[in-house]
Amino acid sequence: MKERMKEEAWNIHFSEFGRGVCMYRTSRTRELILNGIPESLRGELWLLFSGAQNEMASHPGYYGDLVEQTMGLCSLATEEIERDLHRSMPEHRAFQNEMGIAALRRVLTAYAHRNPNIGYCQAMNIVTSVLLLYGTEEEAFWLLVALCERMLPDYYNTRVVGALVDQGVFEDLTRAFLPQLYEHMQELGVITTISLSWFLTLFLSVMPFDSAVLLVDCFFYEGIKVIFQVALAVLHDNMDALLACSDEGEAMTILGSCAFLVRLIFTASSHRALLHVIFKNNFVANFTKIPQRSPLTGFTRF
Amino acid sequence: MSESYDFLFKFLVIGNAGTGKSCLLHQFIEKRFKDESNHTIGVEFGSKIISVVNKMVKLQIWDTAGQERFRSVTRSYYRGAAGALLVYDITSRETYNTLTTWLSDARMLASQNIVIILCGNKKDLDADREVTFLEASRFAQENELMFLETSALTGENVEEAFVQCARKILNKIESGELDPERMGSGIQYGDAALRQLRSPRRAQPQGAQECGC
């Protein structure tokens, strides 16, 4: 029933602001996303927000051709893909049979063929599995293109440079927003590497699926900013425990266990509340004020 | 924290992707096989206190991603490791062939005196074996590694791998070959050991009994 109401709200929005290849970004759109995208519209909206819809429309037949070309091909990438197919989303029914696995194989292999600079990076399999749950193979492919080439630039390349750069940015943000914790974390050592998987999988590998997918909704609309916000919220939420740690092992135990996220979710009884937990700390409002210069390359992000 | 131990050792688990590193760690800590698991992205962590020759030793274990492109990330964790499990898959020659690369990385980046145990994992899949016990043990001997074939599925030799590695480190401490006080040794004294240091007359076994609870 709730799903129906959400759908209705979106339909009203569509009739006013358009549907299909483009849509206005209004404060109401954001509001609707925070209220939760209905399952039936998720794929369509991800395609729209990411621009994948446009690319797909302007490249008819492209994915099908790639699949044909890559059929039976053997490479380092295909070997690596093969090894990970059964450990991408093993708990989900869709990937407990050969049909789901074969679709995942085709999309990842096609992408590796399209972009040899990336090939296949562990984490792409997890994200692609989720994309496949909400769209056709072709749609999942174009969403993956949007992620790898626009929304998460260089994240999955052969040295995961983009993701590492963003760990540096994340460290800077920690210094700006949670200075006390930042000092303590510097003393503890290299624990920011734990957040690497949060960024590479958009939290899909560490958070319960139903919650993580809400973040993915926000991510497609607002970009990587959302992941930074959630990551800061996670640190903030566990600040006392982290400050009490005397070595990096203890800190890793806190951040590595799912416990921290479960807590975040328990305090949030509804989708909206979850997102408010994340945004309440006002990381959002202040976000644009800091120059987000990445420590490695000097690029300005956002 | 209520846990008490004599020593803390920093351990690494390294080796190619898909050799079962995380499953070994999980089997060691939880005593069961981790079915339906993801691969590791970056680094994961686990710890456990074990009893080795009358000493309580806390192992702090860093489990690393095997995919080549994460190498630069995982390398930063090698620093100051006292012990390592170097894992290959007995059903995959390729994972065995890359052992030398892993080995030189570990010897170069971790503590100089790092104690490494070679683990030929997936021992339960003997029918698909591509690497014989003999050749791997020869490799281990040539490179001064301890060696065991393990099965994260059945649990065979898993605990032993960690314990043997810890025992060797303890022996080296006792013989004076390893100095826990040296920077980057990967070894720290626990509360229990510190107490003993402060009151050296206290019998050591008594200290161990205290923590045996």
Side-chain angles (χ1 to χ4, degrees):
Chain A
M1 211 49 207
K2 196 140 182 265
E3 282 288 297
R4 284 265 299 283
M5 277 163 60
K6 282 193 224 160
E7 277 168 31
E8 201 40 50
W10 276 96
N11 281 329
I12 293 167
H13 191 72
F14 287 146
S15 64
E16 207 171 328
F17 295 100
R19 181 175 192 171
V21 289
C22 60
M23 185 205 277
Y24 284 104
R25 295 171 71 96
T26 66
S27 51
R28 174 75 182 142
T29 322
R30 192 160 185 272
E31 186 86 353
L32 282 169
I33 294 166
L34 287 182
N35 280 328
I37 294 180
E39 294 267 308
S40 59
L41 291 175
R42 186 161 269 145
E44 178 185 336
L45 289 170
W46 287 359
L47 284 165
L48 181 64
F49 296 154
S50 64
Q53 182 73 61
N54 278 324
E55 273 210 271
M56 187 167 73
S58 53
H59 295 87
Y62 177 89
Y63 173 69
D65 291 345
L66 266 184
V67 171
E68 218 158 282
Q69 285 167 36
T70 53
M71 211 148 353
L73 268 184
C74 240
S75 64
L76 174 66
T78 60
E79 265 174 50
E80 290 183 315
I81 289 167
E82 209 55 45
R83 198 170 47 219
D84 287 346
L85 288 174
H86 291 274
R87 43 180 193 164
S88 304
M89 263 192 104
E91 67 288 345
H92 199 288
R93 244 178 335 130
F95 301 100
Q96 289 166 353
N97 58 65
E98 194 39 46
M99 214 174 81
I101 293 291
L104 183 58
R105 178 188 293 118
R106 282 190 295 269
V107 174
L108 290 173
T109 309
Y111 189 78
H113 194 67
R114 167 190 164 92
N115 190 349
N117 288 329
I118 287 181
Y120 166 72
C121 176
Q122 289 188 324
M124 284 165 72
N125 55 332
I126 295 171
V127 174
T128 306
S129 301
V130 175
L131 300 178
L132 277 167
L133 294 177
Y134 296 103
T136 65
E137 258 180 71
E138 189 182 16
E139 288 167 345
F141 172 80
W142 286 108
L143 283 169
L144 185 62
V145 170
L147 282 177
C148 295
E149 294 166 23
R150 291 195 301 278
M151 300 188 78
L152 302 172
D154 295 330
Y155 260 50
Y156 300 121
N157 76 12
T158 50
R159 308 217 128 173
V160 294
V161 169
L164 290 176
V165 166
D166 275 357
Q167 299 321 294
V169 175
F170 179 46
E171 226 171 290
D172 285 355
L173 290 172
T174 313
R175 181 166 48 195
F177 288 109
L178 307 167
Q180 203 191 349
L181 184 61
Y182 173 80
E183 291 294 324
H184 190 62
M185 277 166 52
Q186 291 301 103
E187 285 164 28
L188 292 183
V190 283
I191 69 165
T192 46
T193 323
I194 186 88
S195 53
L196 188 66
S197 65
W198 305 351
F199 283 76
L200 280 170
T201 68
L202 309 173
F203 279 99
L204 286 162
S205 63
V206 288
M207 217 187 246
F209 177 71
D210 291 340
S211 312
V213 83
L214 298 174
L215 298 183
V216 178
D217 290 343
C218 298
F219 166 78
F220 272 118
Y221 189 67
E222 306 222 59
I224 195 66
K225 174 169 101 176
V226 174
I227 305 302
F228 280 112
Q229 288 163 339
V230 177
L232 281 171
V234 167
L235 291 189
H236 183 264
D237 207 47
N238 290 279
M239 186 122 101
D240 295 341
L242 287 170
L243 286 174
C245 291
S246 56
D247 66 42
E248 51 177 337
E250 283 176 41
M252 285 292 283
T253 309
I254 292 170
L255 293 177
S257 71
C258 289
F260 74 86
L261 290 166
V262 173
R263 226 180 98 208
L264 205 62
I265 287 145
F266 267 130
T267 49
S269 50
S270 73
H271 295 172
R272 198 182 162 74
L274 165 72
L275 296 165
H276 276 281
V277 169
I278 289 160
F279 298 123
K280 77 177 174 203
N281 301 312
N282 228 7
F283 296 135
V284 197
N286 296 322
F287 219 69
T288 46
K289 290 184 192 152
I290 332 160
Q292 269 112 46
R293 207 159 328 129
S294 70
L296 290 182
T297 59
F299 283 132
T300 302
R301 307 291 304 240
F302 308 114
Chain B
M1 234 171 254
S2 60
E3 54 182 28
S4 178
Y5 50 83
D6 299 288
F7 289 104
L8 183 149
F9 295 165
K10 178 176 168 178
F11 267 40
L12 290 171
V13 189
I14 52 176
N16 270 26
T19 50
K21 297 178 292 297
S22 301
C23 289
L24 279 173
L25 178 59
H26 195 261
Q27 175 65 258
F28 173 61
I29 290 177
E30 305 282 337
K31 298 237 169 264
R32 60 192 168 84
F33 181 64
K34 193 176 180 188
D35 213 1
E36 291 201 348
S37 54
N38 281 139
H39 45 77
T40 307
I41 298 168
V43 177
E44 282 171 15
F45 176 83
S47 74
K48 187 174 178 174
I49 297 182
I50 53 173
S51 156
V52 191
V53 274
N54 285 333
K55 290 273 194 306
M56 298 309 281
V57 176
K58 180 172 182 172
L59 298 184
Q60 205 180 61
I61 308 155
W62 302 81
D63 174 28
T64 61
Q67 198 185 20
E68 169 71 31
R69 64 188 71 195
F70 289 103
R71 206 68 59 90
S72 64
V73 178
T74 54
R75 273 194 186 126
S76 60
Y77 281 83
Y78 283 43
R79 198 164 41 107
L85 268 72
L86 173 56
V87 187
Y88 70 95
D89 170 358
I90 65 152
T91 71
S92 159
R93 171 139 309 262
E94 196 201 326
T95 66
Y96 176 80
N97 289 343
T98 49
L99 286 176
T100 38
T101 323
W102 288 108
L103 204 54
S104 61
D105 258 19
R107 293 242 157 94
M108 198 165 60
L109 298 164
S111 137
Q112 278 172 332
N113 296 307
I114 187 168
V115 172
I116 303 173
I117 183 160
L118 180 66
C119 295
N121 195 33
K122 308 197 187 177
K123 183 176 196 291
D124 49 286
L125 298 177
D126 199 53
D128 302 320
R129 178 188 285 277
E130 287 183 6
V131 183
T132 66
F133 183 88
L134 192 68
E135 93 178 284
S137 50
R138 203 173 296 143
F139 175 86
Q141 209 166 23
E142 281 163 10
N143 291 281
E144 293 173 24
L145 310 170
M146 291 181 285
F147 172 55
L148 276 178
E149 283 194 343
T150 57
S151 166
L153 181 71
T154 66
E156 188 179 349
N157 280 344
V158 175
E159 172 116 14
E160 286 78 352
F162 286 91
V163 171
Q164 279 192 23
C165 197
R167 189 182 301 137
K168 181 124 177 213
I169 295 170
L170 269 180
N171 288 343
K172 284 191 169 190
I173 294 173
E174 272 160 19
S175 71
E177 200 179 330
L178 261 178
D179 176 13
E181 311 258 3
R182 202 176 54 83
M183 274 284 282
S185 68
I187 302 162
Q188 287 168 33
Y189 289 112
D191 290 345
L194 284 178
R195 274 203 307 277
Q196 284 165 20
L197 285 179
R198 282 193 206 105
S199 52
R201 257 169 293 169
R202 183 186 267 190
Q204 279 190 355
Q206 198 185 337
Q209 267 165 15
E210 269 173 29
C211 347
C213 48

